[in-house]
Amino acid sequence: MGSNKLFDLEGRTVIITGGGRGIGKVYAKSCVDAGMKVVIADIHGEEAETTAAELRDSGGDAIAVTTDISNEESVAAMAKKTMEAFGRIDGVVNNASLMSSLPRRSWLEIPTEEWDRVMAVDLRGLLTVCRAVYPHMKAQKCGKIINVSSSRVLEGTPNRLHYTSAKAGVIGFSRALAREVGDDGINVNVVMPGLTLSDTQLASSSTSYLSDEYNQQRALKRPQTPEDLVGTVLFLLSPASDFITGQTINVDGGKSMH
Ligand SMILES: NC(=O)c1ccc[n+]([C@@H]2O[C@H](COP(=O)([O-])OP(=O)(O)OC[C@H]3O[C@@H](n4cnc5c(N)ncnc54)[C@H](O)[C@@H]3O)[C@@H](O)[C@H]2O)c1
């Protein structure tokens, strides 16, 4: 392949779960800018539709499908609609999670139902989405799965123990899955964002939580924005990363190093 094609994403189809708002919305816009056909699969259907409409207005190819990743039927319907609209599934960014809506509280105070719901969305949701796209990627003999973890796993950040546990699970899930689907030409990798100023993070966090103290612990001492994650996601979707699988890329300005 010529080096000019290494980062060519033109015409590829990507599903972005949780793409209606927050960081996922920035991924969706960036993928459209790169010439991709984008499916925004979000439980908040109205926001997903608004985002898709904005992308179409700017000349992009995007559809919204209201999807609950914790529900198998809903995910199967989303994969079917993707195939009907675009005929292929080249990539999936498993970005949806329960995060900004979770209270920060002691591990002793997390209700069991909330623990189970977080596991059902933030971990089992990936299984459900991967199983739904797998037959199509297998038939194509290629596919790129990108699972979103969190640098909390490296830092051991307290007060959302269910969320941190699920995000640690994302790494084991991705490593083992990479081996199970390698023969089908499918890559599975993980992106680990540091504390990122998504619109939802800003709305749900106190100013003390988002203080400059955190930024000062980075090698690159500034706040992290959703745009900081885009390059890594596009790289992992592109042919440039065809021989990378089962890996985790931490994008946090060098706060944690692993
Ligand atoms: N913002 C941060 O500081 C940060 C740090 C590390 C990791 N992350 C991860 O990055 C991703 C995006 O973060 P964000 O800040 O945009 O979070 P967010 O909470 O704002 O967005 C999550 C998205 O997932 C969607 N979603 C929730 N439950 C769903 C379900 N059952 N089915 C389908 N969609 C569902 C929401 O509607 C939303 O669009 C998440 O996986 C998050 O855990 C974020």
Side-chain angles (χ1 to χ4, degrees):
M1 183 187 307
S3 57
N4 58 334
K5 291 278 177 203
L6 279 177
F7 297 96
D8 187 3
L9 290 163
E10 190 73 39
R12 294 188 178 211
T13 298
V14 63
I15 295 167
I16 300 175
T17 69
R21 59 178 161 182
I23 301 174
K25 182 173 177 175
V26 176
Y27 294 154
K29 185 175 182 318
S30 307
C31 288
V32 160
D33 287 347
M36 300 186 87
K37 298 169 185 175
V38 173
V39 177
I40 297 169
D42 201 306
I43 198 166
H44 293 105
E46 251 176 60
E47 276 169 283
E49 191 42 66
T50 305
T51 300
E54 280 170 24
L55 297 176
R56 285 194 297 270
D57 287 348
S58 69
D61 225 346
I63 60 166
V65 185
T66 308
T67 312
D68 176 358
I69 61 164
S70 70
N71 179 302
E72 274 184 35
E73 281 171 24
S74 172
V75 171
M78 181 275 290
K80 189 163 176 272
K81 280 188 192 148
T82 302
M83 289 303 289
E84 282 164 6
F86 297 133
R88 297 178 59 83
I89 304 177
D90 297 297
V92 175
V93 184
N94 275 313
N95 161 81
S97 88
L98 283 178
M99 185 205 67
S100 53
S101 58
L102 297 174
R104 292 190 177 90
R105 55 184 159 196
S106 155
W107 66 289
L108 296 168
E109 288 162 13
I110 295 172
T112 307
E113 310 76 57
E114 188 179 292
W115 178 281
D116 289 348
R117 180 71 190 146
V118 168
M119 291 300 157
V121 176
D122 295 11
L123 193 50
R124 200 189 69 208
L126 275 61
L127 173 72
T128 307
V129 172
C130 288
R131 282 186 180 167
V133 300
Y134 173 65
H136 308 291
M137 290 184 169
K138 183 180 156 92
Q140 295 160 192
K141 297 188 172 54
C142 64
K144 303 274 196 173
I145 295 173
I146 299 167
N147 296 326
V148 177
S149 176
S150 166
S151 64
R152 271 182 162 254
V153 173
L154 299 175
E155 295 174 25
T157 313
N159 293 329
R160 278 178 179 162
L161 192 63
H162 41 5
Y163 172 73
T164 307
S165 303
K167 291 297 189 182
V170 168
I171 297 171
F173 171 92
S174 304
R175 289 178 177 176
L177 184 62
R179 291 199 192 275
E180 297 216 26
V181 300
D183 287 343
D184 301 308
I186 300 170
N187 303 55
V188 187
N189 289 295
V190 177
V191 175
M192 239 184 187
L195 180 65
T196 305
L197 303 185
S198 60
D199 46 12
T200 42
Q201 178 73 275
L202 285 167
S204 62
S205 301
S206 64
T207 41
S208 63
Y209 190 79
L210 300 176
S211 75
D212 196 48
E213 208 182 310
Y214 188 97
N215 302 327
Q216 292 307 317
Q217 292 165 30
R218 295 185 158 122
L220 306 170
K221 297 184 182 56
R222 64 162 175 80
Q224 176 164 357
T225 66
E227 286 72 18
D228 289 316
L229 294 156
V230 166
T232 306
V233 169
L234 294 182
F235 167 66
L236 291 175
L237 288 170
S238 76
S241 59
D242 277 355
F243 203 53
I244 298 178
T245 195
Q247 306 304 312
T248 298
I249 303 184
N250 179 45
V251 184
D252 72 348
K255 182 165 186 293
S256 297
M257 299 186 184
H258 77 121

